[in-house]
């Protein structure tokens, strides 16, 4: 059933994003935030094996690549001291949790596979929508770092492009705590310039230029998009966006889903590859099983 009206679809097509107010109710927000707390409490830092004799970069690369099919915790760069100990408490040092919350945690699965997401994805042209990754992003008070300007299709490449982001604000997102900033209409201004791919050895990642000429994004055109908790920002995969560091006293939690159209071809070079026993699932089919 259609969810968006014609004006909203047109707005999204022109701007490359759309804000929908009051989509997530308070009960869901509380339940999911509670679940996140449980996940953090259970998480053992030793899983990261950050300081071992093995090359630290190799360990972290493998941890990142494996997160495509796991619930993995990622920490702020500055969270560890020289001895490898956390310099702030675990719950305040975490940067994000990803990338298969929607597949492996029943609360997040129920939230992610819901009618409104299917309806919106179809409204915006995805014929066979599938959620390929989920991230719970913390943007911690005072230490939440910058996210440089990028397009999501760089990280989630399909042929033709089909990436669509659902950015659910779990807390108010203001300029002070590093809300999203977006260049309106940039999805129609620039061709995809880079792809974030797995390296040839399959043990790391790199950015690779596409054949399209490099054009500098006009970052002066980034506009802050402030939203309240419960709001949803829909993001076109080719729209340029960023977020500035959080210098405030308030965290800025968000739950972010990225969808693609399974009618397109998933690039085998994408950093995100699922193991054979955990293929991407049709959103619609999963919803049937959850009824
Ligand atoms: Fe993004």
């Amino acid at each position: 059933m259609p969810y968006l009206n014609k004006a909203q679809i047109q707005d999204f097509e022109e701007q490359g994003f759309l804000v929908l107010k009051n989509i997530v109710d308070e009960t869901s927000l509380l339940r999911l935030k509670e679940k996140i707390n449980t996940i953090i409490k259970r998480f053992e830092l030793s899983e990261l094996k950050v300081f071992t004799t093995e090359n630290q970069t190799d360990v972290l690369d493998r941890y990142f690549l494996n997160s495509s099919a796991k619930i993995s915790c990622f920490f702020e760069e500055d969270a560890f001291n020289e001895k490898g100990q956390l310099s702030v408490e675990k719950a305040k040092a975490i940067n994000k949790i990803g990338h298969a919350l929607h597949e492996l945690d029943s609360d997040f699965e129920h939230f992610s596979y819901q009618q409104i997401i299917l309806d919106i994805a179809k409204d915006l042209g995805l014929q066979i929508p599938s959620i390929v990754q989920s991230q719970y992003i913390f943007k911690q008070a005072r230490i939440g770092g910058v996210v440089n300007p990028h397009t999501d299709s760089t990280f989630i490449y399909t042929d033709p492009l089909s990436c669509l982001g659902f950015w659910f604000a779990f807390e108010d997102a203001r300029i002070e705590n590093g809300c999203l900033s977006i260049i309106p209409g940039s999805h129609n201004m620039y061709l995809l310039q880079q792809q974030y791919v797995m390296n040839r050895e399959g043990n790391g990642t790199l950015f690779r230029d596409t054949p399209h000429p490099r054009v500098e994004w006009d970052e002066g055109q980034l506009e802050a998009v402030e939203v309240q908790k419960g709001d949803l920002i829909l993001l076109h995969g080719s729209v340029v966006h960023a977020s500035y560091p959080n210098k405030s006293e308030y965290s800025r939690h968000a739950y972010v889903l990225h969808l693609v159209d399974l009618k397109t071809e998933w690039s085998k070079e994408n950093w995100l590859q699922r193991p054979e026993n955990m293929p991407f699932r049709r959103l619609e089919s999963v919803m049937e099983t959850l009824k």
Side-chain angles (χ1 to χ4, degrees):
M1 210 168 36
Y3 183 87
L4 301 173
N5 61 38
K6 273 189 183 161
Q8 288 173 313
I9 294 172
Q10 191 178 347
D11 203 15
F12 178 84
E13 283 169 357
E14 285 171 10
Q15 303 294 313
F17 72 98
L18 182 71
V19 176
L20 300 175
K21 305 294 288 176
N22 244 325
I23 296 297
V24 191
D25 61 73
E26 191 68 30
T27 315
S28 303
L29 288 176
L30 287 173
R31 191 181 64 248
L32 294 172
K33 287 180 89 169
E34 193 54 44
K35 196 57 179 285
I36 284 295
N37 286 334
T38 309
I39 291 170
I40 296 172
K41 274 193 199 123
R42 275 194 214 131
F43 180 77
E44 296 289 341
L45 278 175
S46 56
E47 284 181 42
L48 271 172
K49 296 191 189 75
V50 173
F51 292 85
T52 64
T53 49
E54 195 178 355
N55 183 326
Q56 194 185 329
T57 310
D58 292 346
V59 174
L60 292 177
D61 280 350
R62 192 167 62 234
Y63 184 77
F64 175 71
L65 290 171
N66 288 341
S67 72
S68 63
K70 286 187 174 172
I71 296 174
S72 302
C73 296
F74 297 87
F75 288 85
E76 290 291 343
E77 267 179 39
D78 300 336
F80 296 92
N81 63 22
E82 287 159 6
K83 291 180 186 155
Q85 298 155 335
L86 277 180
S87 46
V88 279
E89 66 172 294
K90 197 166 62 171
K92 296 267 188 285
I94 193 160
N95 168 292
K96 71 171 183 181
I97 297 175
H99 290 91
L101 268 170
H102 65 296
E103 306 287 38
L104 300 173
D105 178 88
S106 61
D107 287 323
F108 277 94
E109 184 182 48
H110 274 92
F111 179 81
S112 307
Y113 288 95
Q114 56 172 307
Q115 191 68 40
I116 183 178
I117 296 178
L118 175 67
D119 291 342
I120 291 173
K122 291 206 161 181
D123 289 341
L124 297 179
L126 275 62
Q127 293 185 50
I128 309 176
S130 174
I131 306 170
V132 293
Q133 71 170 20
S134 48
Q135 302 172 86
Y136 192 92
I137 299 173
F138 292 83
K139 199 81 166 185
Q140 303 283 2
R142 291 181 298 279
I143 61 167
V146 65
V147 176
N148 290 318
H150 66 278
T151 67
D152 291 339
S153 287
T154 291
F155 300 88
I156 297 169
Y157 182 86
T158 60
D159 185 14
L161 296 178
S162 66
C163 176
L164 174 64
F166 284 70
W167 199 99
F168 294 95
F170 272 39
E171 292 178 332
D172 292 349
R174 302 274 167 219
I175 290 175
E176 307 83 75
N177 64 351
C179 66
L180 278 187
S181 290
I182 302 175
I183 302 181
S186 48
H187 63 305
N188 290 325
M189 295 177 202
Y190 309 106
L191 294 171
L192 188 78
Q193 303 186 30
Q194 282 196 309
Q195 265 178 273
Y196 187 66
V197 296
M198 200 179 287
N199 65 14
R200 201 170 291 169
E201 295 76 27
N203 59 5
T205 55
L206 54 97
F207 284 96
R208 193 181 59 196
D209 288 345
T210 67
H212 302 135
R214 288 301 285 274
V215 183
E216 286 291 311
W217 293 328
D218 183 355
E219 294 179 18
Q221 288 187 46
L222 282 165
E223 290 181 13
V225 179
E226 296 189 308
V227 290
Q228 291 179 306
K229 72 173 175 182
D231 293 350
L232 165 62
I233 306 175
L234 301 171
L235 272 177
H236 190 287
S238 299
V239 82
V240 179
H241 59 283
S243 69
Y244 297 105
N246 183 357
K247 302 243 166 82
S248 80
E249 302 296 305
Y250 306 100
S251 55
R252 193 226 63 190
H253 291 194
Y255 180 56
V256 188
L257 295 173
H258 285 99
L259 278 68
V260 301
D261 190 343
L262 289 185
K263 276 226 151 183
T264 65
E265 193 180 335
W266 180 257
S267 172
K268 290 191 173 69
E269 297 181 310
N270 280 335
W271 80 266
L272 191 153
Q273 301 294 334
R274 285 278 190 80
E276 260 170 37
N277 61 357
M278 197 175 159
F280 294 137
R281 305 189 286 172
R282 289 174 177 228
L283 210 153
E284 211 158 1
S285 314
V286 180
M287 280 172 51
E288 286 297 318
T289 66
L290 294 177
K291 270 181 188 164

